[in-house]
Amino acid sequence: QVHLVESGGGSVQAGGSLTLACVASGDTHTYSSMGWFRQATGKEREATGKEREGVAAIDSDGATDYRDSVKGRFTISQDRAKNTLYLHMNNLKPEDSGMYTCAADDSNLATMLDYLTAGYLEVWGQGTLVTVSP
């Protein structure tokens, strides 16, 4: 069974950067895609109505997909030798705040962001909290 453990979250000011890491134990090569979703915290959720959204995805060939609001600012990458998935986040905005969780699934890249948003996932971690202040 695959277990995913995230790290790298923290508090930064708007415009700052963070890199999240997701270390997998077990064989993730059986999954077609991996990705990150975020869930808004209480205040953010009350202010925006946003619940959960897929942020970035990557398939076994290294092809990537991003939600529009993070394109050009976030980069997803993987080091398969280290069984680690990364999310490099630059020019962070307050609306990027939330619990970031990595996940793996058999879905192809074309549907992975939707699956991350909907929660149709084979395995996911516990998450790491990102807080961006104005």
Side-chain angles (χ1 to χ4, degrees), residues 80-125:
R80 298 181 76 84
K82 295 182 178 179
N83 271 351
T84 303
L85 181 73
Y86 299 98
L87 185 66
H88 308 277
M89 306 186 294
N90 295 317
N91 192 20
L92 283 160
K93 303 176 181 181
E95 54 263 40
D96 294 320
S97 297
M99 183 69 75
Y100 282 72
T101 304
C102 68
D105 195 73
D106 288 332
S107 64
N108 59 36
L109 188 64
T111 58
M112 187 59 176
L113 281 184
D114 290 337
Y115 276 47
L116 288 164
T117 299
Y120 299 148
L121 302 163
E122 292 287 331
V123 63
W124 60 94

Side-chain angles (χ1 to χ4, degrees), residues 49-62:
K50 289 193 299 185
E51 287 281 346
R52 169 190 183 131
E53 52 190 12
V55 174
I58 188 168
D59 68 11
S60 57
D61 292 326

